[in-house]
Structures are given as C-alpha cells and as structure tokens.
C-alpha cells in the first residue's frame, strides 16, 4: 500500500508540474561549452572538448548562489524542466529542482554539465566528447584511441564551464550515483569552492566489489562480434552487446520489490509455455526487460559505456592513494543519502565514507531513502527526503 | 575477526578430514545409471539418458535409511568424500556428510545424482546427458536440438536411479540453491516419498526478479561469436562468453564483505595505473575474478549453462499453475535455511515459501545462515547450522 501511495504521489507531482509548467516555468535551453587542449588527469591532452550544459534560475550579481548538479551514469545535464511544452518528461530531478522546491530556483542558480563520454552520445539533447567523437587527426571516430577519462576529468570540465561564467565558488554540489562520485571529488579536489556537498546513492570510492560489478556491464559489449575492438560505425554498432549491458544495469539499479510488481503487471509466471517448448524463446519478464533496454540503446554508444565504466572503476575521492587521504582535504559540510534497498551501491559504501569523515572531525550527516526502487530511489524518488535536503542547503555553513 | 575464525575452523575441518581419511573413510566411486526412452516434463522423449551418481554409507535391509542430496547449479553428485587419497578437496558438503556428522553416514545411505545438462560436461567425474551429448540421430552433439529440461526432469531421473536400487521412500531430501528447487519439487511431486525436506539457500519458485537475473548469465554466451546458435565443437567453444558468465555468477554468489577481503589480499586499489593508462587493461580484482572463471571454464559446456538457466527460470514447486498449488500437496516436515547475506536468492524467497507452508498448516521451520560469504554460505559454510540440521533429520516425523 505504501508503494501505491508513492506511485500516486509521484503521478501527482508530475501532474502538478504539467499544470505549473503551462502557467509559468521558462523552458530549458541546452548550451555548449568548448575548450581546447584540455589536459586530463592521466596527463594526456584532448585537442578539443565540447560538452552541453543547462541551468535553472538566475545567477545573482555576486555569483555566489550556484548549485552544481552532477549526473548519474546513464543521465545527462537535463536535471530539471522541459525543452518544449510537449516533452513527455521533465529532467530527472524535477521533483526537487524548481521555484519553491528543495533546490529552490527562485534563490539558486542551478547548473548541470554533460559528462565526457556521455552514454547518450546520439541524443540530440546531449553534447559530449568521447570515443564516438571524430578524432581530428584521423577524421574517424576515436574509438579506443580516446584516452581513459576519470571522474576528476568530469569535475575539471565542470569547473571550466563555471569559470567561463565568472563563477569561482559554489553554494553546493549535489549528485546521485556516478554524480555523487563527482560531488565528493569536487569537495576533495577544490575544497575552497565547496561549502556544501550532498552524495545521493553514492560512494567515496569504488571498492573491489564495485569495480568487479561494473566490469560485468562492459563485457557483453566486448563480446559482441560487431564491437571489433571499438572500431565500428553507428550503422554497424554492437547493439546486442549494448542491450545486454543495459538489461543488467536496469535490473541492478532496481530491487525485487519493484521488479516483481512489474512481473505481476505483465502476468509473469515461471512455467510459461514458450520458454518450456523452445530454448530460443524467453519468459515474459525477460522480453519486458529486453524491450526496455532496446528502446534506450538507440541513442547510446557502446564505447562510451566502456569509458564510463572505467571512470567509475578508477574512482577514489580526491584521486589520491587512499580514500582517507582524499577525504582529509574536504572542508564542506556533507550529507550522505543512500537508499536503504540499494543493491548496486549498497548503503555500506555511504556509511563508510560518512564515518571516516566524522572520525576526521568533519561536519557530516547521514539519512537513508526508503522505498522499494532500490538504487533508483535516488533518481526517481528523492523528493521523499526533500525537506532534509532543503534545510541542509539553506543552513548557514 | 569472526571471519578469520571461520577460515581457521574451515581449514581445521579440512585438515581433520585429511587425517581421518588416511585412517578410515572408504573412497568414493562414481556409478552410472542409464535409462532409455526417457519422457521429459515437456512431453518430449530422450532416446537415452545417462547420469552419474555416488553414495556414502550403507543402504539398510529395509531400504528406508536413504537421504538424497540434490546439487547446486555448478555442482555435481560429488557431495562428500574423495575419489582418491590425493584429491585436493573432498565433495562440497563433506563438512556435514560423514560418520558422526550432521548427515551421519553411519546411520544413513546418502546418495546424489548428476543433473541433466550438468555444467561440468567435460569433467571426468561427471556423467551427464545434455546438449553436448552426441545425438544418436545425427552423430553430432545435440546443441540446441536438445529439448528444454526442467527441475522436475532432474527429480524424475533421481527417482529412476533410486527405483533401480529398489528404493521406494526417502528418509529426507536436502539440497542447496538449484538443489533446493529439486528438494521442494520432490516434496510436492512425490509427497509419499518425502517425510523430510531441507531447502538450503533456495526458493519455492523463480519470481520475476530471479528469472530475469538468471538471464544475464546466458546472454554473454549467446553474444560470443563462437557460440553459433549452439552449434560448436569443444575445440571451438564460446569460451569468452562462458568466462564472462562465470565471472558474473561467481560475484553474484558472494557478498561484498568476503569479496573486499579478496581485494585486500591482492592489494586492489581503485586508482591502479594500468587501467588508467589503457582502456584495454583491467584492474587487479577484475583479473583475479577472470582467472578464477577461466580456470573453471575448461571442464564446462556453454550450452549446458543455458539449459540449466532455463530449468531454474521455469521452476515453481510442483510445476503447476502456482506456488500455492504446488505447496498444497507437500506432506514433509520442512526446514528452510537461507543465508542472511544472500544476494542471489535472497532470504525473502525462503521466507515466503516457509510462510505459505505455515499458512497452509504444514510443519515448517526456518533458520538463517550467518557469515559473509553471501549465497555461498549454503555451500561452503553450512556446518554453521550442523546441529539444527542433525536434530531435524533425526527427529521422528
């Protein structure tokens, strides 16, 4: 019953958004940022970096009302609002970003930037630089000639975007999942920029479990005969490998509670006749998952997925020798918000980072998201902790 | 510290076994059972079924002291003992099967049978019939022409083996994971045979979550260019797909607690230089997992893995329309033993089956395995609940 109430409340939120949008909210516009000779954390240099960004609310004269939103693995800078009235869905965190919402755009200038190697390379609303980008030296897509990029590089691109706007300090940085990695890295790498940091469904580092778990996302792509060591065109892309990867990611980001509701909705049964009769046939729930993945694969690039996996695998806050070292430089007040039922980045990852910060005498807070969506609680249901978030962001440091 | 104590105690158990084995225990011998024109649950008929089986202890004159052990997904009928003094490891449940142990071979005749489509098709100590078996009609391996097999078929093969020995009733049936599925199906399909059933790290059915989760094990194999719709020879087998599948299975059967200890043991760090420098390189923990999988893949058949996945996906106790219907026929006293930290078949699956049996007025019991091995607690650490198991098995019904 709790779940149903949640669904209804989410529907209501969406409905309310439609109403208010038609009255007042301005439409969102994607901007482009370009940098030349961009030096990566590895020391390698990209001749050109081009990324998209978008913002909500107004930058004040002092340029000190900036909240940076860092996005998750399969996300983009589209955190809130709509590009056109007719868009089916607003940005992913629209429930908490807007006038009067926990991240209040009547007070704050909220900004978000597309990552390097963004998964949705072929989405018209995403601007990114990655293996699918044309290498100016060869006039072909980089493929695996593209250098490995890290969470730190995503942070440094965001910093360059902010500096191009004359910004030199944030009010806060906040992000879910891979976005949480960027938020923590911001607080560690540029402590004077970051007075407040919120890590949602995140981790202070990729432990052995997480790095190995991420590898399973990459392997189906590398097995696809169309992958060809990363040298493919969009027309001959390793779609089947990408679909398999997305199926795995989708399930791991959910929880049995929610997943089995979907099963009931499509009348899943273990003993279905098609998969009993023929090894090549699938259960209804498998077909459901596959169709969901296939519909998303169209705008995504398989090599980009490999590079995002690697960026996450390499992550330790501060990009130093140890998590402890990385956390030691943090000056921000911090808030950790794992999802209790998260099976992908389990709460222990947040707990350990939070505890290490407390042990180092830092001002750190912890609150769990409830609900049955698993990891996706932090993307689709974060408004559950909207009040906590609001008071954390509005408190004087 | 608890974990270290466990390790030590397991080492001690193994050491003790070595000592006692050199003194008294008889060596185990694999037997072969053959049946002709074997009718499957699907209605299809296999011209010949050949499976291996082994036993420990003596069948009494009344033939009423039989405990059947049903094996897990990547296991075989080698549940206890050694084939030769020089074997590095005894059978997987040796800690609880033997004279004076919870499954006491001085009282019981303990027997186990290799499954159809057993994963270790090329292991000299496994005898099985599956897609890698030569199809008498074509003189080539069946490949995907092999009919889909179910947990019920494994049960019916076991029943045929038992009947060939003049046995018509069990003292108990007990198995872990996929073995638990067989044990529950036995209790439902042949209630007059089964007075006691123990489900270890199991489930009464594959819910939508489980069926989808199992699918991820199959997809890497089908993506491998050597798979060729199942028509390959052992020399040109889809090894990379099989290795990817085994990597996923291995991790899912474990828990971060144990896994991160392994990470520490090999000095895993997120920010390792090889994977930072080169997208084609891997982290130490990924190499560790891959090597582990590769060393096991050698004796395994990729198509067999697909068929085992399917058998598990199709599973509902009783192989009827619903779990409730399947459980209604059970006469056995039952014991459910999930692992508290299991991420593969989570405790809720055991809980639900247990609760449905209680609601139907059946004599059912529940106890959880602790420890940090995750799913594998039920295979590698079951002796933790040895006393519970012993009293359950020895109680008059």
């Amino acid at each position: 019953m709790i779940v149903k109430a949640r669904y209804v409340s989410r529907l209501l939120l969406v409905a309310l958004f439609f109403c208010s949008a038609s009255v007042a909210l301005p439409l969102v516009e994607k901007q482009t940022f370009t940098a030349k000779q961009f030096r990566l954390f590895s020391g390698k240099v990209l001749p050109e970096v081009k990324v998209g960004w978008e913002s909500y609310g107004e930058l004040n004269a002092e340029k000190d009302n900036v909240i940076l939103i860092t996005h998750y693995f399969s996300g983009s800078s589209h955190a809130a609002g709509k590009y056109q009235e007719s868009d089916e869905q607003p940005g992913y965190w629209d429930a908490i970003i807007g006038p009067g919402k926990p991240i209040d755009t009547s007070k704050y200038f909220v900004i978000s930037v597309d990552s390097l190697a963004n998964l949705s390379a072929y989405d018209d609303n995403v601007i990114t630089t990655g293996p699918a980008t044309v290498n100016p030296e060869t006039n072909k897509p980089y493929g695996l000639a593209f250098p490995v990029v890290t969470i730190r590089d995503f942070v440094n691109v965001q910093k360059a975007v902010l500096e191009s706007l004359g910004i030199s300090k944030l009010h806060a940085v906040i992000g879910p999942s891979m976005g949480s990695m960027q938020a923590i890295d911001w607080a560690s790498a540029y402590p004077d920029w970051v007075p407040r940091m919120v890590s949602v469904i995140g981790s202070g580092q990729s432990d052995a479990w997480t790095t190995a778990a991420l590898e399973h996302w990459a392997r189906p792509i590398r097995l696809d005969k169309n992958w060809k060591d990363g040298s493919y065109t969009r027309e001959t892309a390793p779609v089947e490998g990408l679909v398999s990867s997305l199926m795995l990611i989708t399930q791991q980001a959910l929880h049995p509670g929610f997943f089995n509701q979907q099963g009931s909705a499509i009348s899943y049964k273990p003993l279905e006749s098609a998969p009993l009769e023929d090894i090549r046939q699938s259960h209804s729930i498998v077909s459901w998952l596959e169709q969901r993945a296939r519909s998303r694969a169209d705008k995504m690039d398989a090599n980009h997925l490999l590079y995002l996996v690697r960026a996450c695998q390499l992550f330790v806050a501060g990009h130093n020798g140890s998590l402890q070292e990385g956390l030691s430089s943090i000056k921000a007040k911090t808030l950790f918000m794992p999802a209790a039922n998260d099976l992908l980045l389990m709460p222990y990852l947040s707990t350990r980072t939070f505890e290490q910060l407390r042990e180092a005498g830092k001002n750190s807070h912890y609150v769990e998201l409830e609900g049955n969506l698993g990891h996706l609680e932090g993307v689709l249901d974060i408004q559950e902790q909207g009040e906590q978030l609001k008071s954390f962001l509005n408190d004087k440091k």
Side-chain angles (χ1 to χ4, degrees), chain A:
Chain A
M1 290 311 290
I2 294 171
V3 173
K4 284 194 181 155
R6 279 250 171 74
Y7 273 138
V8 171
S9 76
R10 206 176 303 150
L11 283 174
L12 276 175
L13 269 169
V14 173
L16 282 171
F17 173 81
F18 276 112
C19 298
S20 57
S22 64
V23 179
L25 285 183
L27 292 173
V28 173
E29 209 175 328
K30 185 73 72 172
Q31 314 281 333
T32 304
F33 169 82
T34 306
K36 301 285 182 186
Q37 300 300 315
F38 191 86
R39 181 170 295 271
L40 298 169
F41 176 76
S42 66
K44 292 174 185 161
V45 175
L46 281 173
E48 183 179 88
V49 158
K50 199 177 275 194
V51 293
W53 62 275
E54 51 190 79
S55 65
Y56 329 101
E58 301 296 324
L59 184 61
N60 66 12
E62 297 79 17
K63 300 190 173 182
D64 66 356
N65 68 331
V66 182
I67 294 182
L68 174 67
I69 310 290
T70 46
H71 71 72
Y72 58 100
F73 191 91
S74 61
S76 73
S77 61
H78 195 38
K82 294 185 164 193
Y83 300 119
Q84 304 168 77
E85 299 282 2
S86 58
D87 289 357
E88 272 184 37
Q89 293 288 336
Y92 63 93
W93 261 4
D94 195 84
I96 55 163
I97 301 173
K101 293 180 183 176
I103 299 177
D104 190 345
T105 51
S106 59
K107 291 170 66 175
Y108 299 115
F109 175 68
V110 180
I111 182 167
S112 190
V113 182
D114 292 331
S115 71
L116 294 171
N118 189 286
L119 190 51
S120 298
Y122 309 119
D123 187 322
D124 290 341
N125 291 313
V126 169
I127 301 158
T128 188
T129 305
T133 303
V134 170
N135 181 347
E137 288 179 15
T138 63
N139 279 323
K140 285 184 194 167
Y142 277 101
L144 299 202
F146 196 77
V148 169
V149 288
T150 64
I151 295 293
R152 172 62 57 82
D153 298 313
F154 302 174
V155 165
N156 285 342
V157 169
Q158 290 153 3
K159 187 161 170 278
V161 173
L162 294 167
E163 286 171 339
S164 77
L165 300 171
I167 295 163
S168 58
K169 190 176 186 348
L170 297 170
H171 179 81
V173 57
I174 165 168
S177 197
M178 186 181 83
S180 143
M181 296 178 177
Q182 296 162 65
I184 303 175
D185 203 48
W186 255 106
S188 172
Y190 304 110
D192 291 332
W193 277 69
V194 185
R196 295 169 197 80
M197 188 288 294
V198 185
S199 158
V200 179
I201 51 169
S203 177
Q205 67 178 337
S206 283
D207 60 357
W209 174 265
T210 305
T211 289
L214 286 161
E215 188 71 12
H216 306 302
W217 299 6
R219 293 187 75 91
I221 289 170
R222 292 191 289 178
L223 282 165
D224 190 315
K225 64 182 186 309
N226 286 340
W227 180 59
K228 295 177 178 164
D229 202 36
S231 297
Y232 55 83
T233 63
R234 194 180 171 191
E235 292 66 37
T236 59
V239 176
E240 296 309 311
L242 180 57
V243 167
S244 291
S245 175
L246 294 172
M247 286 172 71
L248 182 58
I249 294 171
T250 303
Q251 182 159 8
Q252 290 187 335
L254 287 167
H255 185 268
F258 177 83
F259 209 88
N260 286 331
Q261 284 181 322
Q262 290 298 328
S264 295
I266 59 168
S267 300
Y268 159 82
K269 280 191 162 56
L271 199 56
E272 295 181 356
S273 58
L276 173 65
E277 290 304 318
D278 185 352
I279 190 74
R280 292 180 180 86
Q281 297 290 314
S282 294
H283 279 81
S284 56
I285 190 69
V286 171
S287 302
W288 172 82
L289 187 61
E290 182 172 342
Q291 281 160 18
R292 219 179 130 96
R294 201 169 289 279
S295 70
R296 296 169 69 204
D298 196 34
K299 294 182 175 171
M300 295 179 172
D301 181 74
N303 280 339
H304 281 219
L305 195 149
L306 303 186
Y307 278 75
L308 289 180
V309 159
R310 181 54 53 85
C312 293
Q313 288 176 319
L314 289 165
F315 174 65
V316 52
H319 288 74
N320 280 313
S322 71
L323 178 57
Q324 196 177 13
E325 197 179 336
L327 297 181
S328 68
S329 61
I330 292 180
K331 294 181 181 176
K333 181 176 75 163
T334 55
L335 172 61
F336 291 85
M337 214 181 263
N341 276 329
D342 195 331
L343 293 168
L344 183 53
L345 296 178
M346 296 183 214
Y348 78 86
L349 292 161
S350 287
T351 308
R352 285 190 190 164
T353 312
F354 159 72
E355 283 173 353
Q356 283 199 41
L357 283 165
R358 291 280 270 227
E359 280 161 23
K362 316 269 184 181
N363 184 354
S364 191
H365 305 263
Y366 181 98
V367 58
E368 285 189 0
L369 295 162
E370 303 296 332
N372 79 342
L373 288 173
H375 188 67
L376 283 183
E377 280 292 324
V379 177
L380 302 178
D381 211 14
I382 188 173
Q383 62 273 22
E384 176 196 325
Q385 291 292 353
E387 284 306 310
Q388 285 272 359
L389 191 58
K390 187 173 192 168
S391 58
F392 180 87
L393 292 174
N394 291 343
D395 261 14
K396 294 267 182 284
K397 211 216 148 183

